[in-house]
Amino acid sequence: MYIHHAENLARGTPYAETGYIYNAHNPTVGPRTYPPAFPLLLAPLVRVFGRALWPMKALVVASLAASLVLLLRLFRGVLPSPHLELLVLLTGLNPVLWDFKDRVVADLPFLCFVLLSFASFARAAAPAQTPRRLMVSALLAGFFAYAAYATRVLGIVLVPTFLAHDLIRRRRVGVAAVAAGAVFVILAGAQYLVWLGDRSYLDQLTVTPASLGRNALGYARSLSDLWANGYSERARKALFLIVGGLAALGYANAVRVGRNEAGWPEVFPWPYLAVVLVWPSFQGVRFLLPVVPFYLLYCLRGTRVLDDAVQRRWGRNHLVLAGLSAAAALSYAGQYSTMPFGRFPSGVGRPESVAFFEFVKTATDSNAVFVFSKPRALALFTGRRAAAPFSPSDPCRLWGYLAEIGASYVVTGPALSADEVDAAAEYLRRFVDQYPTDLRSVWRAQDIAVYRIERNPCAPTAAGSSRRGWQAGGGASAAAR
């Protein structure tokens, strides 16, 4: 979707014309349109290099590199050497972030804009600033906060962080926070009113105690994946608990030492994580990336507290820091040893995917509409319109949706890894098994199959037996597979 938006910008076509049909019954697949900042960054690359992925990945890598430089600048007065350098190494070399650098997604550019906004605000909030430098820095803070919001809507928490910083430290809102907030509101309001007024993100916002509980457990597990070593689950859990304890100690120390002077580093993780937990659509570690540097910051601050105690008692310096460094190095090395660097293509680069896209482009009508678990990839690489499926208890509701969008084909697959489950795709596999005469197989390659829709068995003229067949035969069909 990001690439498709970028191509539209580069060609001067309407931003929202991507061929992706938004399914309000399954909004977690994605909104009608994505925020514009990342596609705007990609558009010049697309115009020059076309759909080549390496320039887009280079942009993502540059975002990660810039974020690491910003960490050095932001926390130079918070962490001493070598703790500060270790913060950069632990962040930049973490296998999870290293994996994200190979994806054309907005997560690392979003992290970069978040840190740019904080760097500008920290400069504006610093004492003894001239009015001109204060105002310039504040305006930049607001601009970068908007850039973060225009990259991922979670950037909306930045301005409340600025305000909370001032209220805690000064008991009033300062000029810098007001100016930054004003710039943010003007730019975000203009984007919404003049260009992109898409409200489909709000379709996902159905908060329940169950969704909060699932998210809390899921994101805790995702955070622990930062310490996956590829071999031992016990070692992962143990290191996660140790780092978590150090981070809690470091955060408590920061609040105690600062007394009532906690600033944006202490404030930002809480509103950000609150929004992440409330958002019903679980997104895994990608939603946690902006708080990872803060998590590691307080972990290293905790090691400093313990090292100071060790030095006072035994005269040994950096003993805890050395232990943490060794444990992290072993964890990272173990995980990297299991990662398939360059061994086989995945996703859209698989031979099966390439053959599937070629079939769709050459053997189907240009006006055909598809239902597929990866509708945005299909729309980008084939030029066809595509929607995601959903999983109603009554299959006639899905048949009704197929008729509503004028669907021509249903596509099952692709298979996910052993530890992942795509519920909608799995439902679709069972769905096509249940209607062999209504959905005719026209192409297949390993885990991807294309079925042409012959008729709608739930149409008013069709018999009602199909619904009973689904209920009675679904389990047998799944068992047969």
Side-chain angles (χ1 to χ4, degrees):
M1 181 72 99
Y2 288 123
I3 296 172
H4 217 146
H5 284 320
E7 289 184 346
N8 290 348
L9 290 169
R11 297 168 181 168
T13 56
Y15 184 80
E17 289 187 5
T18 62
Y20 168 56
I21 302 171
Y22 173 71
N23 185 351
H25 303 291
N26 189 7
T28 58
V29 171
R32 292 181 179 87
T33 57
Y34 273 176
F38 188 47
L40 282 168
L41 293 175
L42 293 175
L45 302 176
V46 169
R47 189 171 183 84
V48 174
F49 299 101
R51 202 173 284 172
L53 294 181
W54 69 263
M56 306 182 203
K57 293 183 179 183
L59 173 64
V60 176
V61 171
S63 300
L64 175 59
S67 298
L68 299 178
V69 173
L70 286 165
L71 288 179
L72 284 173
R73 178 182 178 87
L74 277 169
F75 299 127
R76 191 170 299 280
V78 178
L79 286 177
S81 181
H83 297 73
L84 181 61
E85 290 77 12
L86 186 57
L87 170 64
V88 174
L89 290 173
L90 288 176
T91 303
L93 295 180
N94 187 275
V96 170
L97 272 75
W98 198 253
D99 182 54
F100 268 92
K101 74 171 176 45
D102 283 326
R103 306 184 190 185
V104 185
V105 290
D107 302 279
L108 291 175
F110 175 66
L111 171 63
C112 184
F113 284 131
V114 167
L115 297 178
L116 278 169
S117 180
F118 283 139
S120 300
F121 182 74
R123 185 176 181 182
Q129 291 281 8
T130 65
R132 182 176 180 277
R133 291 187 65 181
L134 184 151
M135 187 55 63
V136 170
S137 297
L139 296 178
L140 285 174
F143 172 78
F144 288 124
Y146 163 71
Y149 167 77
T151 305
R152 298 283 301 275
V153 293
L154 285 167
I156 199 169
V157 303
L158 290 171
V159 170
T161 300
F162 299 157
L163 299 176
H165 168 96
D166 278 10
L167 289 173
I168 292 172
R169 287 204 166 186
R170 304 175 180 177
R171 304 295 186 269
R172 61 182 177 81
V173 177
V175 173
V178 171
V183 170
F184 177 91
V185 169
I186 291 170
L187 293 175
Q191 174 190 308
Y192 184 83
L193 296 174
V194 178
W195 187 11
L196 298 175
D198 184 10
R199 298 182 180 181
S200 54
Y201 269 117
L202 297 178
D203 292 344
Q204 302 180 41
L205 199 57
T206 53
V207 184
T208 65
S211 69
L212 289 173
R214 285 194 304 269
N215 279 352
L217 291 175
Y219 284 116
R221 169 59 200 250
S222 295
L223 191 62
S224 76
D225 286 341
L226 295 175
W227 308 108
N229 56 69
Y231 297 95
S232 170
E233 282 292 289
R234 288 185 178 180
R236 173 187 63 81
K237 294 175 182 177
L239 188 53
F240 171 60
L241 292 174
I242 291 170
V243 172
L246 289 171
L249 175 63
Y251 187 87
N253 175 261
V255 172
R256 180 182 62 82
V257 171
R259 299 183 186 275
N260 294 324
E261 297 183 0
W264 55 264
E266 288 77 39
V267 172
F268 169 69
W270 301 114
Y272 181 87
L273 290 174
V275 175
V276 167
L277 290 175
V278 166
W279 199 254
S281 175
F282 176 73
Q283 297 295 318
V285 74
R286 60 192 297 260
F287 264 21
L288 299 179
L289 292 186
V291 298
V292 167
F294 296 86
Y295 167 64
L296 296 174
L297 166 72
Y298 290 110
C299 167
L300 290 167
R301 187 154 182 162
T303 65
R304 188 184 177 195
V305 172
L306 289 183
D307 272 329
D308 288 345
V310 169
Q311 186 176 26
R312 287 193 301 269
R313 186 173 181 86
W314 291 292
R316 300 288 185 89
N317 196 19
H318 297 326
L319 193 63
V320 179
L321 183 67
L324 175 67
S325 302
L330 288 172
S331 173
Y332 286 13
Q335 185 68 2
Y336 278 124
S337 72
T338 65
M339 294 173 70
F341 293 110
R343 295 178 199 165
F344 55 85
S346 61
V348 297
R350 295 189 313 154
E352 296 82 10
S353 300
V354 173
F356 164 58
F357 294 143
E358 186 63 23
F359 167 80
V360 171
K361 287 190 293 184
T362 58
T364 67
D365 188 86
S366 60
N367 294 319
V369 176
F370 289 76
V371 171
F372 181 40
S373 62
K374 309 295 181 185
R376 295 166 297 188
L378 190 153
L380 174 66
F381 288 101
T382 67
R384 303 300 189 265
R385 299 175 66 220
F390 69 111
S391 310
S393 58
D394 180 358
C396 280
R397 289 185 58 206
L398 180 55
W399 278 111
Y401 180 70
L402 298 178
E404 177 187 335
I405 64 173
S408 315
Y409 297 89
V410 170
V411 183
T412 60
L416 299 180
S417 61
D419 59 344
E420 293 180 297
V421 176
D422 187 330
E426 192 62 33
Y427 179 97
L428 208 57
R429 291 188 188 95
R430 188 159 64 95
F431 178 80
V432 298
D433 285 350
Q434 196 63 40
Y435 298 97
T437 61
D438 305 304
L439 297 164
R440 179 178 298 178
S441 176
V442 295
W443 186 88
R444 179 183 297 273
Q446 290 194 9
D447 59 342
I448 303 176
V450 181
Y451 298 83
R452 185 172 61 239
I453 298 174
E454 299 291 331
R455 73 181 190 108
N456 180 354
C458 293
T461 57
S465 60
S466 58
R467 182 185 285 104
R468 293 192 298 272
W470 170 269
Q471 293 169 342
S477 175
R481 289 197 309 279

